[in-house]
Structure formats: structure tokens, C-alpha cells
Amino acid sequence: MRRALQQLRRPPHPWWHHLPVERRRRREHARLLARRWSAWLAQRRQLIVLAVGFYLILCTLPLLFGLSALAAVALLPLILVPPVGFLVYWLVWKEFHH
């Protein structure tokens, strides 16, 4: 609890003290946080994690209705794509280097 209160008192940005007083508002702080979150979510790694997470949630929905075979078939692309991609890469590499 004490740490959370300290973070609230801490300035949100190193240049925060140099802003004019009229710009040091909660709305400006909220905009800064929104820009940080949108920039973080726009990174490629986070987009991939979000897409895979969404796909996993979508694939596990049939489990809630007792359709385990459908859920297994839906998860097959997630399981099989990496090994097949590696196999294709290895075959193309072997073709051009031997």
C-alpha cells in the first residue's frame, strides 16, 4: 500500500517538473499513460502475444460446451505450424547450400 502511494506521488515523467503548472493535470497524466500503453501494445512482440492469446481463448471455448474434439482440431494449427515452418526452412536451406 505504501509503495502504491509513493508511485502516485512520484512524477509520471522525468520532464514533468518542467511543464507549466496548467499542464500538470490528471488529464495530461492520463494522456501520457495512454500513449505509453498504446506504444507498448503496438510493438510486434505484444501484438503476437495478444493474437496467440486471443486464438487460444477462442479455441478453448468449445471445451466449455463439451466439444473437446473440436477444441483439439482448432489447436492443431498452433501446434503444427512451427515444426512445419522449420521443416520448410531446413529443406530450402539444404536445397540452396548442397
Side-chain angles (χ1 to χ4, degrees):
M1 183 73 171
R2 184 181 297 163
R3 188 175 191 186
L5 289 174
Q6 287 175 349
Q7 285 181 348
L8 286 175
R9 288 188 209 129
R10 196 178 73 185
H13 193 273
W15 290 84
W16 192 256
H17 297 293
H18 302 290
L19 283 175
V21 177
E22 61 271 4
R23 293 220 31 216
R24 290 188 216 166
R25 296 190 182 130
R26 287 183 185 230
R27 178 178 284 171
E28 293 294 327
H29 185 238
R31 282 185 190 162
L32 179 66
L33 288 176
R35 274 189 273 142
R36 281 184 185 169
W37 272 99
S38 65
W40 184 76
L41 286 173
Q43 293 176 359
R44 187 174 180 188
R45 181 184 309 153
Q46 278 73 20
L47 288 176
I48 291 171
V49 167
L50 286 173
V52 170
F54 178 73
Y55 186 75
L56 281 173
I57 291 170
L58 196 65
C59 289
T60 55
L61 282 178
L63 287 175
L64 296 175
F65 301 108
L67 303 170
S68 58
L70 182 63
V73 170
L75 287 173
L76 278 177
L78 203 59
I79 296 168
L80 293 177
V81 165
V84 171
F86 176 75
L87 179 64
V88 169
Y89 174 79
W90 178 68
L91 289 173
V92 170
W93 185 89
K94 191 173 179 183
E95 182 71 30
F96 284 102
H97 288 86
H98 289 285

